[in-house]
Amino acid sequence: MVNEIVHTVGEYADKAFDEKDTDTLQRIVEDCLKWVESGEYNLLEKGILAYHGATSYSNYIHLKFKGALRYSQDMNNEQDFEMCLLMFRLSIEKLTAYQEEADLKNGSEESQYFTTYLLMAYTNYANLLQKCGRLMKALSYLKIGVGMDFPIAIGNFAGFLMDYATFDYDKGHQSVLANESYQLLKEVLKFEKVEEYAYKHYEGLIAKLEQLYPIVFLEEPYEFEDYSLGDSEEEVGYRKWCLENTFFLNTLNDAFPYSVSATDILHLPNIVTKIDEGPRFHGLFNQIKQEFVSARYMLYDSLSSKGAHFSDKDVHLVNTLDYPAYGISIEKMKYSYRSLYSLIDRLAFFVNEYFEIGIKERDVSYRSIWQDKIRKGKNSYNLKVNLKSRMTGEETFNLPLIGLYWLCKDIGKQKIEHHYIEPAIEQISKIRHHLEHRYLKIHDSVLYPITKESCENRDDPLAYSITVDELKDATMSLLAYVREGIILLSMAVHLEERRKRKDNASDEILMSMFMDRYDDDWKRLF
């Protein structure tokens, strides 16, 4: 079924790790990448080779850096993590492509063999994402294994939920997530095939939870009340769609698809400011949230619209014979896309102001906030704060901020070994460029691919052509990216404010300012 060389690579990798041979582990990674790019192996074999390469690099990082990221000038291993992320992503990409091609019968030996590798790739990739601060993305990959009763995925999901809870300023959410972690950890200890080191780790997590919360609270699964999802069929459909796709600005939505998660409750924690500054950061966060939820609804509305809209009646267009797709639904999807992309720089604007980095307003972007200097020839200038150094400092360590940095790496089309770290970002970026600066042409998802294959020179030379489904997939991915960025920002501020209070515990008198909730009835023009 699989070339024997593929298994031999795995054996060599295990031997190198046991012998702490870091040089051999690095060579295995290089060889695996070369084999994945060659035409010698099928998709399943390439997926397994990429997995061996990824685990080899992960073991290399474990041996050389104790598994931790290093950002200092003396020791920086970002490229090692980038390469490891790439290899896991290639493994998942190849294995998923094999699954789509192969006719695997449920329960067959081949299906079980393939599934095991895919679940291991998902789980180990999630572990690496967690170290990079990509908290929500890590949970999303572990969910797959949880749904398939994969013990390590269940245990790790429980542990990651515990970490996730500590970054949430909402104590009610913290306790709910802790209860779920406890239930999952108890469940995973019942599995027979759990390695001893993992079993002890999970027991340690249970003991930690029992120190933090009453055992009586932990032992009984949390009972959620049923909340209304809306007053109309349309609203209920929208909220179900958000729940199922984990699109609510609500940390509970990362763990539960229940009605309790169907609100955008997340905001900023209490912020210490000078008395004359006012709630400026809460105002900016309001705007970020409003633009996000509006873009989210525009996407949903474009996907759920049926038939032509009256605004498109009697608008004279010509048929260019390449099955173009026009109409207000397509434009709503584009508007959603534009709005979401602009929010990434809006998050950077917030970070620059809150952390007092010192970037001039015209120079602020999701790339520039991580630099130590703005380089513009004669107009270059140093920044007041080196955010990368700050977020990794011993006293100011901030994992959610690190996660925002790695998210910006994805958006910024970071490459390693001529591959994008996040393969999907190339399409997302191309769509944005042509949408804003060139000509993006949308085509029917069924008919256009057929005619394109049968007719040479079918593409419009002035346009970047994609199908409706491709635009939909890209917008859904972008929506998930921006949601992650917003939640990470809130968590980063929470950690920073917690540190500020600790530092100023005896020096300053703090007075609270009450801020009422903005009423839903006020959200209208007239």
Side-chain angles (χ1 to χ4, degrees), residues 454-522:
S454 61
C455 302
E456 293 184 8
N457 303 320
R458 170 59 68 179
D459 280 346
D460 183 335
L462 297 180
Y464 178 58
S465 290
I466 61 171
T467 65
V468 173
D469 283 348
E470 287 172 327
L471 179 60
K472 171 202 164 187
D473 291 345
T475 311
M476 295 276 281
S477 296
L478 190 55
L479 191 62
Y481 268 115
V482 176
R483 174 188 182 268
E484 183 181 1
I486 292 172
I487 297 177
L488 287 172
L489 177 62
S490 173
M491 290 179 163
V493 171
H494 172 52
L495 289 193
E496 182 67 10
E497 290 300 314
R498 199 163 65 184
R499 185 191 64 77
K500 281 182 185 177
R501 283 175 171 77
K502 184 179 178 182
D503 291 348
N504 297 326
S506 59
D507 297 337
E508 295 182 17
I509 298 174
L510 302 178
M511 298 183 66
S512 61
M513 174 183 174
F514 176 73
M515 288 189 292
D516 200 1
R517 176 173 174 165
Y518 191 91
D519 197 285
D520 287 346
D521 287 339
W522 302 341

Side-chain angles (χ1 to χ4, degrees), residues 123 126-128 130-131 135 138-139 142 155-165 181 205:
T123 304
N127 294 342
L128 195 66
Q130 177 79 354
K131 291 177 181 177
L135 310 173
L139 288 171
L142 288 176
N156 288 5
F157 187 81
F160 289 3
L161 276 186
M162 289 174 62
D163 293 337
Y164 197 38
S181 296
L205 292 179

Side-chain angles (χ1 to χ4, degrees), residues 302 305 307-312 326-333 335:
S302 69
S305 296
H309 192 266
F310 67 81
S311 67
D312 290 318
Y326 295 109
I328 194 170
S329 294
I330 293 293
E331 297 309 312
K332 282 181 181 177
M333 205 181 300
Y335 294 146

Side-chain angles (χ1 to χ4, degrees), residues 295 298 330-340 435:
M298 276 193 288
I330 293 293
E331 297 309 312
K332 282 181 181 177
M333 205 181 300
K334 290 180 184 177
Y335 294 146
S336 173
Y337 201 94
R338 286 189 179 98
S339 182
L340 288 167
L435 193 57

Side-chain angles (χ1 to χ4, degrees), residues 6-7 9-10 13 28-29 32 47-57 117:
V6 174
H7 295 302
V9 172
I28 289 171
V29 177
C32 285
I48 296 172
L49 285 167
Y51 174 79
H52 288 324
T55 52
S56 294
Y57 221 128
Y117 268 105

Side-chain angles (χ1 to χ4, degrees), residues 163-217:
D163 293 337
Y164 197 38
T166 63
F167 300 127
D168 192 336
Y169 66 86
D170 189 316
K171 294 194 178 297
H173 285 195
Q174 287 179 17
S175 62
V176 171
L177 294 174
N179 180 278
E180 179 67 6
S181 296
Y182 193 82
Q183 303 303 319
L184 291 171
L185 289 167
K186 286 289 190 180
E187 179 185 332
V188 79
L189 292 185
K190 296 176 183 176
F191 282 85
E192 294 180 3
K193 295 181 180 179
V194 177
E195 294 190 35
E196 186 178 352
Y197 79 92
Y199 195 96
K200 288 182 178 179
H201 174 64
Y202 299 146
E203 283 187 322
L205 292 179
I206 288 173
K208 185 177 179 180
L209 285 169
E210 290 176 345
Q211 288 179 337
L212 296 171
Y213 295 91
I215 295 179
V216 175
F217 166 76

Side-chain angles (χ1 to χ4, degrees), residues 26 57 81 88 106 127 139 158 168 192 255 276 284-285 311 325 332-333 364 387 411 438 474 488 504:
Q26 277 194 307
Y57 221 128
F81 271 79
F88 274 124
N106 288 334
N127 294 342
L139 288 171
D168 192 336
E192 294 180 3
D276 59 342
L284 176 53
F285 202 79
S311 67
K332 282 181 181 177
M333 205 181 300
V364 176
L387 196 58
I411 297 293
R438 297 292 183 269
L488 287 172
N504 297 326

